[in-house]
Amino acid sequence: MLLNQEIDLLESKIDKLFDLQKRHSISLRKSTVHERLGHIKRLREWVLSHKEDIQKALYADYRKPYTETDITEIYPVLSEAKHFISNLAHWMKSKRMPTPLTFLGTKAQTQYEPKGASLIIAPWNYPFNLAIGPLVAALGAGCTAIVKPSEMTPHTSALIRRMIGELFDEQMVAVVEGGVEASQLLLSKPFDHLFFTGSPAVGKIVMKAAAEHLTSVTLELGGKSPAIIAEDANLKDAAEKIAATKFLNCGQTCIAPDYVFIPNSKRDPFLQYVKEAIDSMYKSGKKGIEKSPDYSRIVNERHFNRIMHLLQDASEKGAKIEIGGKSIPEENLLEPTVLVDINPTMLVMQEEIFGPILPVMVYENLEQALALVNEMPKPLALYAFSNSSRTIRHIFEQTSSGASVANDCALHFLHPELPFGGVNNSGIGKSHGVFGFLEFSNQKAVLEQRIGFTAAKPLFPPYNMAKKKMIEGLLKWF
Ligand code: NAD
């Protein structure tokens, strides 16, 4: 909690930054592809030359393994930057629109104008990637940005402040560090676009604040992403992919499979494969998982306690720990933990787990499982495992989610050409590549009358009989 005096200081800093960026954002309306790519290229070079600093910051925050930082924090930012470098000139070009007969003599275009001053609020779970990835899109679209990293990963937050300070003037990009108070002060300003990544609960607060100024929003939220395994699926393959994605980053991944649905008859062999996958990823010899250099920690004590409460609630309501369950509170560590005998009244089936607990629910027929998925808010991702393309199509057609992935998990996040985002409770708007560019751009309609008179002039009042007849005739045309 900040003191009143500190809040006043922060407020005046934010007011100054906002005014500075708002003014600068107007001059950026004319920015060229060359200028925008200049920013992105310098950012990319900084990331490449400070790889070790990024790895160290994330390790200090929650013991994230260096290689996992390479794969999930550095690679996505470099890949987004590269994709912008290759495509921005094409995306920025005005698009000539067709001219229907009734508009003869006009020229119509869609132009992509920078929205202006943007605010990026990032979460703690991929704290570098989810602050800097959207920044690439904001810069590509020609916007200024204030970046607010998460207060829960202070080492990464400090690193982002240093990086932005070394790369940009404050009028272009600035960092405001802090927690809820900083966020709320920022949210009170009339930004032109707001890009928020975080929980649905805070997403609602952000959207209400944006409504005050009718600021457009991109909300990248979370939810319960199911993995549905069909009767004919390759169980070993499904188990390996689900375990790898679920326990990556200690289960703290927005698109991790939150829970599994599996036919009753396939449950035990599936569990055996999951156990083997966990052992092979995190156990070496007789050493426990706590010794694995490849398993991160839960971000802090508050989240550790929240996750342990979910586990306790499930146990009290009849769930059985089938795999894992061991915890070391002083390290915020819970082993990869798999629960069976699950029912929908358990908190693990009502809240986003966001930790290393995987509930495995059984079903007798697929329709039952789909009905349960459809009773819950629409997820960020839905994973379906089956050897039949007809079954996959059926699952995808019967459900709604931000992304649907067949026979794999989370891979869509890394695909540069795909939109990334949720639907309703799991998010509003899309990011990555051209979709991120469009979020930060105003798609402006530009129409030029080229024949010197208004084609609609004969329709101006007064509406005499001849005009009425002409209008009636026109309506019959459509
Ligand atoms: P969070 O919503 O608690 O916090 C996100 C950001 O909002 C932080 O910067 C925080 O300081 C700020 N914030 C927190 N409370 C606020 C308030 N009352 N008013 C204004 N700002 C506030 O989320 P988190 O715990 O950092 O991240 C976990 C959540 O984010 C999960 O739900 C996860 O699924 C989701 N997530 C989504 C994506 C995605 O791309 N869709 C990616 C990562 C995480």
Side-chain angles (χ1 to χ4, degrees):
M1 283 281 280
L2 295 179
L3 303 171
N4 283 345
Q5 207 186 4
E6 288 170 317
I7 292 184
D8 288 347
L9 272 174
L10 188 60
E11 189 169 14
S12 78
K13 177 183 165 187
I14 287 173
D15 285 351
K16 253 184 34 216
L17 276 178
F18 178 79
D19 290 344
L20 195 67
Q21 292 204 348
K22 188 84 187 173
R23 270 200 305 278
H24 187 57
S25 71
I26 292 168
S27 66
L28 288 182
R29 286 181 191 155
K30 294 197 301 264
S31 59
T32 61
V33 65
H34 181 73
E35 287 161 343
R36 296 185 194 182
L37 287 183
H39 293 310
I40 295 177
K41 284 178 183 166
R42 280 190 303 120
L43 181 149
R44 184 173 163 272
E45 274 152 29
W46 196 99
V47 173
L48 281 169
S49 58
H50 293 78
K51 201 168 134 253
E52 216 180 307
D53 294 351
I54 303 168
Q55 290 167 333
K56 280 183 180 157
L58 277 136
Y59 188 83
D61 278 329
Y62 59 108
R63 288 192 33 186
K64 184 156 173 151
Y66 281 19
T67 310
E68 219 164 277
T69 291
D70 283 352
I71 302 169
T72 64
E73 305 276 356
I74 297 175
Y75 169 75
V77 169
L78 293 178
S79 150
E80 181 80 333
K82 185 159 183 264
H83 196 49
F84 268 78
I85 292 166
S86 308
N87 294 291
L88 185 62
H90 170 63
W91 297 338
M92 276 175 71
K93 266 205 191 103
S94 303
K95 302 231 176 349
R96 184 82 185 261
M97 309 311 274
T99 306
L101 217 63
T102 38
F103 284 83
L104 265 187
T106 66
K107 179 181 165 193
Q109 292 177 62
T110 304
Q111 287 183 1
Y112 302 94
E113 138 190 305
K115 278 191 178 166
S118 73
L119 169 64
I120 297 169
I121 300 182
W124 54 262
N125 64 322
Y126 288 92
F128 186 77
N129 169 5
L130 297 175
I132 306 304
L135 177 61
V136 171
L139 293 170
C143 293
T144 62
I146 294 184
V147 180
K148 212 292 284 165
S150 173
E151 69 282 19
M152 299 225 202
T153 38
H155 295 89
T156 310
S157 177
L159 176 102
I160 291 173
R161 174 167 41 81
R162 190 186 124 210
M163 165 182 171
I164 300 300
E166 288 176 18
L167 284 173
F168 299 102
D169 284 343
E170 283 197 327
Q171 61 175 0
M172 186 68 213
V173 186
V175 171
V176 170
E177 289 186 279
V180 177
E181 291 106 332
S183 255
Q184 291 188 341
L185 287 172
L186 285 164
L187 286 170
S188 70
K189 308 300 290 177
F191 281 95
D192 297 305
H193 189 69
L194 225 153
F195 190 108
F196 170 81
T197 308
S199 59
V202 179
K204 289 176 191 169
I205 297 173
V206 168
M207 197 161 171
K208 275 188 193 144
E212 204 51 48
H213 305 291
L214 292 175
T215 295
S216 57
V217 290
T218 309
L219 302 177
E220 295 284 358
L221 310 177
K224 294 188 75 62
S225 299
I228 303 171
I229 299 175
E231 193 79 41
D232 64 348
N234 178 336
L235 290 183
K236 184 168 189 288
D237 182 60
E240 285 172 357
K241 287 170 176 167
I242 290 171
T245 333
K246 175 72 190 189
F247 301 116
L248 173 82
N249 212 34
C250 203
Q252 303 163 119
T253 302
C254 57
I255 46 173
D258 186 90
Y259 62 99
V260 169
F261 259 128
I262 190 155
N264 208 352
S265 57
K266 305 286 180 192
R267 189 193 81 167
D268 290 350
F270 172 75
L271 290 170
Q272 183 55 35
Y273 286 131
V274 172
K275 187 172 177 332
E276 285 166 15
I278 293 171
D279 288 353
S280 112
M281 287 188 291
Y282 303 117
K283 270 192 181 164
S284 133
K286 290 210 167 90
K287 287 186 194 156
I289 286 175
E290 69 278 11
K291 295 278 185 278
S292 166
D294 299 325
Y295 189 58
S296 342
R297 298 298 184 259
I298 294 164
V299 71
N300 57 27
E301 194 185 341
R302 175 161 82 75
H303 278 280
F304 174 79
N305 291 336
R306 177 185 65 76
I307 289 162
M308 294 311 287
H309 175 66
L310 294 180
L311 194 56
Q312 190 189 348
D313 170 83
S315 301
E316 284 168 8
K317 290 176 182 159
K320 202 173 117 217
I321 296 177
E322 188 68 27
I323 302 170
K326 186 175 140 192
S327 65
I328 306 179
E330 8 359 309
E331 284 193 30
N332 294 328
L333 176 132
L334 171 65
E335 281 185 346
T337 297
V338 180
L339 300 179
V340 294
D341 299 343
I342 301 297
N343 69 60
T345 69
M346 296 170 183
L347 290 177
V348 281
M349 287 309 293
Q350 292 177 357
E351 293 175 11
E352 180 181 4
I353 296 171
F354 220 58
I357 300 176
L358 182 68
V360 176
M361 294 264 282
V362 291
Y363 67 82
E364 291 303 333
N365 73 64
L366 185 59
E367 302 315 309
Q368 242 180 8
L370 297 182
L372 239 149
V373 168
N374 282 329
E375 273 172 27
M376 296 195 228
K378 294 173 191 170
L380 188 56
L382 182 142
Y383 305 113
F385 288 85
S386 169
N387 279 324
S388 147
S389 45
R390 187 188 251 198
T391 306
I392 296 282
R393 202 170 345 112
H394 177 69
I395 295 173
F396 289 176
E397 281 171 359
Q398 294 301 309
T399 52
S400 174
S401 52
S404 298
V405 179
N407 296 315
D408 219 313
C409 289
L411 211 55
H412 62 293
F413 182 88
L414 298 175
H415 197 302
E417 303 287 352
L418 280 175
F420 180 80
V423 50
N424 298 132
N425 199 65
S426 53
I428 292 177
K430 303 288 167 188
S431 58
H432 292 185
V434 68
F435 303 98
F437 168 77
L438 291 176
E439 289 292 294
F440 284 95
S441 302
N442 172 32
Q443 298 185 55
K444 188 155 87 173
V446 177
L447 188 130
E448 275 177 61
Q449 176 59 265
R450 298 201 300 176
I451 54 174
F453 70 87
T454 309
K457 211 166 179 177
L459 306 180
F460 290 176
Y463 301 122
N464 56 28
M465 197 46 82
K467 285 183 184 174
K468 280 185 186 165
K469 285 231 160 80
M470 197 169 86
I471 291 165
E472 277 165 20
L474 205 65
L475 293 183
K476 285 190 191 134
W477 238 46
F478 290 94

